[in-house]
Amino acid sequence: MADFSHKPTLTGDLVVLRPVTEADVPALLPLFEDPEVIRLTGGHTRFDEAALLEWYGSRGAQDDRLDLAVVERATGRVVGEAVLTAWDPDNESCAFRIAFVPDAVGRGLGTEATRLIVGHGFEALGLYRIWLEVYAFNPRARRAYEKAGFRAEGVLRGALLWEGERVDATVMSVLAPEWGSVQAG
Ligand SMILES: CC(C)(COP(=O)(O)OP(=O)(O)OC[C@H]1O[C@@H](n2cnc3c(N)ncnc32)[C@H](O)[C@@H]1OP(=O)(O)O)[C@@H](O)C(=O)NCCC(=O)NCCS
């Protein structure tokens, strides 16, 4: 059975992923306030700072999910979060999501952070399937996920209603048996 109570630190060349805490809220605020990040993540719900402090302050105590802050090694700055959630123990699967603050995107950090947490999901947590949803208007995220080994498996038509427009979501996944060959390239 996967043990989500252990919160790891995962080190790559560009980023370190470590347990998120309430002290990260100021750095993560743009995820909840920047209109473009909110659109790309389909965020219909608004959170005030008190709610965010409560949320991030309680992630370390969760035993059914993994919430990691993404720290850029070059600067030591918290640039976003990477999360395994929606754990389904019977089917050994989790959903993955990730979001960075606007000025951290497009420099390869997301691909590396995705590889690190997905690798942990397979290698340490013993998951079989890790899946995500990405909106049709977010080709940058889709490309990062593909580089990290995710494959598109279907389209949820009109899944998001955003400012009057219906937007498709693509479901992508990576499976444990694929992971070794994905990483070997
Ligand atoms: C999604 C996210 C984590 C990806 O991380 P990132 O660091 O920006 O991604 P990377 O730099 O590792 O890779 C992006 C890739 O997309 C490519 N790309 C950028 N814009 C693109 C576009 N408009 N169309 C196609 N590809 C694009 C880049 O060239 C790069 O691919 P390459 O290395 O082959 O050139 C980050 O962009 C982010 O947090 N964005 C805001 C929130 C968000 O979209 N969250 C995901 C919701 S599903």
Side-chain angles (χ1 to χ4, degrees):
M1 184 75 85
D3 177 12
F4 282 87
S5 60
H6 168 65
K7 307 298 182 188
T9 294
L10 309 173
T11 303
D13 295 331
L14 303 174
V15 293
V16 173
L17 277 55
R18 50 103 177 129
V20 73
T21 74
E22 64 183 10
D24 298 316
V25 168
L28 296 175
L29 268 183
L31 303 185
F32 303 94
E33 294 182 344
D34 180 84
E36 182 64 358
V37 180
I38 292 170
R39 183 179 78 97
L40 291 171
T41 54
H44 282 310
T45 312
R46 298 287 173 266
F47 302 93
D48 64 24
E49 199 163 338
L52 293 175
L53 287 168
E54 202 283 328
W55 175 260
Y56 285 105
S58 60
R59 294 309 84 197
Q62 309 302 310
D63 62 4
D64 62 351
R65 53 182 291 145
L66 179 61
D67 299 76
L68 298 177
V70 180
V71 181
E72 184 177 19
R73 289 187 66 177
T75 59
R77 190 167 71 107
V78 173
V79 294
E81 66 172 349
V83 179
L84 293 176
T85 182
W87 180 37
D88 176 348
D90 293 326
N91 295 306
E92 300 177 329
S93 84
C94 261
F96 165 66
R97 63 182 177 74
I98 186 168
F100 286 177
V101 299
D103 65 345
V105 304
R107 290 191 275 118
L109 309 185
T111 301
E112 187 180 85
T114 300
R115 286 194 181 121
L116 286 168
I117 192 168
V118 168
H120 178 79
F122 291 132
E123 292 157 18
L125 295 170
L127 296 173
Y128 176 77
R129 170 181 163 83
I130 300 177
W131 63 274
L132 61 82
E133 290 178 20
V134 59
Y135 296 121
F137 53 41
N138 198 352
R140 181 181 58 211
R142 178 167 174 156
R143 175 77 187 126
Y145 301 146
E146 284 169 349
K147 286 194 295 171
F150 283 83
R151 292 189 201 171
E153 58 185 18
V155 175
L156 306 176
R157 296 177 302 152
L160 176 72
L161 175 58
W162 196 259
E163 294 178 350
E165 307 257 328
R166 306 281 175 185
V167 182
D168 291 349
T170 298
V171 179
M172 304 180 78
S173 71
V174 58
L175 305 182
E178 301 163 351
W179 183 244
S181 55
V182 163
Q183 294 317 296

